[in-house]
Amino acid sequence: MPTSVQRINAWSSPRNISTALMYAFRQRADTTVVDEPLYAHFLKHGQTKVVHPGASAILGSQLNNGEEVVKQVLMGPSSTPVVFFKQMTHHLVDMDESFLQHMDNIMLIRDPRAIIASYAKVIPNPGIDDIGVEQQYYLFQKLQAMGTLRAVVDARQLLLDPPGVLRQLCERLGLAFDEGMLQWHPGPRPEDGVWASYWYSRVHTSTGFQAYEERTYELPPKLEALAKSCTPYYHTLFEVALKAGSV
């Protein structure tokens, strides 16, 4: 067991490239990864009205109490000196957030229109509590005040320049950049949550970060209004995000 452990939370919106980022960190010999440890807690304590596929299996696969997740998982023992926790920002509900002061935190953001268009293919008619963008804005403010926010990563910027943005991210985290983070074998991973079959089909065919493709998204009026309400939050975070091509 390492004498000290660096614990990294990657706070993401859903339908982002968070699983690919988790796979990238999994390639590091010094790092263990954990997939969405607060998902069951969110399903039990959150206010969402949507039905999540595989909910009963998720509740049966994880601790349902966030405080126990913090004690046993987030701050629990580790066999490696670094642990990377892929987290959904909207899973952070009804919890004592003081543990955030003892961890390194990064945020993974994406254009709300892209998030909503993708999310609605699996769960129709999401609300603002389901896509995490507003929560990211308020968590961003808290983490800045705590002094534990290390970086904001934008999905588009990362896909435009994976080695450049990952190198900047590792520097912000005090880690040496590992070229192995750029590639992985296709297929599922032992660390995948039990929800992987519903959400991870595309990343399971990947061998690295996919090249960015510019797209336009047509949304129905209700979801268009949701995207519009989330856009100012996203723009605020994007201003401080790591940029492609930066030294």
Side-chain angles (χ1 to χ4, degrees), residues 16-220:
N16 207 327
I17 54 172
S18 56
T19 306
L21 187 61
M22 179 177 75
Y23 286 1
F25 272 85
R26 187 183 186 273
Q27 306 315 301
R28 300 179 59 94
D30 62 357
T31 303
T32 299
V33 300
V34 180
D35 194 9
E36 299 184 33
L38 289 168
Y39 198 167
H41 167 81
F42 166 74
L43 291 178
K44 187 169 182 180
H45 300 279
Q47 301 301 312
T48 181
K49 294 181 175 60
V50 303
V51 177
H52 284 243
S56 60
I58 297 166
L59 287 165
S61 72
Q62 295 181 322
L63 293 167
N64 296 179
N65 181 284
E67 306 306 328
E68 288 302 313
V69 174
V70 172
K71 285 189 224 177
Q72 298 186 38
V73 183
L74 303 188
M75 304 304 295
S78 173
S79 59
T80 56
V82 181
V83 189
F84 178 95
F85 299 100
K86 174 193 156 194
Q87 304 269 27
M88 294 293 110
T89 311
H90 58 291
H91 290 176
L92 190 60
V93 293
D94 292 339
M95 288 180 62
D96 177 355
E97 298 178 359
S98 60
F99 71 92
L100 296 170
Q101 301 176 59
H102 309 292
M103 305 178 77
D104 288 321
N105 297 278
I106 65 175
M107 308 201 77
L108 180 61
I109 63 173
R110 189 186 186 194
D111 185 325
R113 294 180 61 80
I115 295 170
I116 294 165
S118 179
Y119 192 93
K121 292 178 182 178
V122 181
I123 297 179
N125 299 315
I128 199 164
D129 290 337
D130 300 304
I131 61 168
V133 179
E134 182 181 42
Q135 295 98 318
Q136 280 189 317
Y137 171 75
Y138 291 111
L139 181 58
F140 167 76
Q141 292 182 314
K142 291 177 185 177
L143 294 173
Q144 278 195 315
M146 289 179 182
T148 60
L149 178 65
R150 306 297 174 231
V152 177
V153 179
D154 177 72
R156 178 176 180 270
Q157 297 298 308
L158 177 53
L159 295 180
L160 286 171
D161 181 14
V165 173
L166 282 178
R167 192 178 298 275
Q168 293 177 69
L169 177 58
C170 287
E171 182 178 354
R172 293 284 189 92
L173 290 168
L175 299 171
F177 173 63
D178 185 340
E179 292 280 352
M181 297 173 73
L182 296 170
Q183 291 185 314
W184 50 82
H185 295 295
R189 299 288 182 273
E191 296 88 353
D192 289 346
V194 297
W195 52 87
S197 61
Y198 302 103
W199 300 99
Y200 295 179
S201 58
R202 186 171 181 183
V203 74
H204 283 168
T205 67
S206 70
T207 57
F209 291 99
Q210 303 297 301
Y212 178 75
E213 298 178 16
E214 193 71 51
R215 298 181 184 179
T216 56
Y217 300 96
E218 295 294 331
L219 300 175

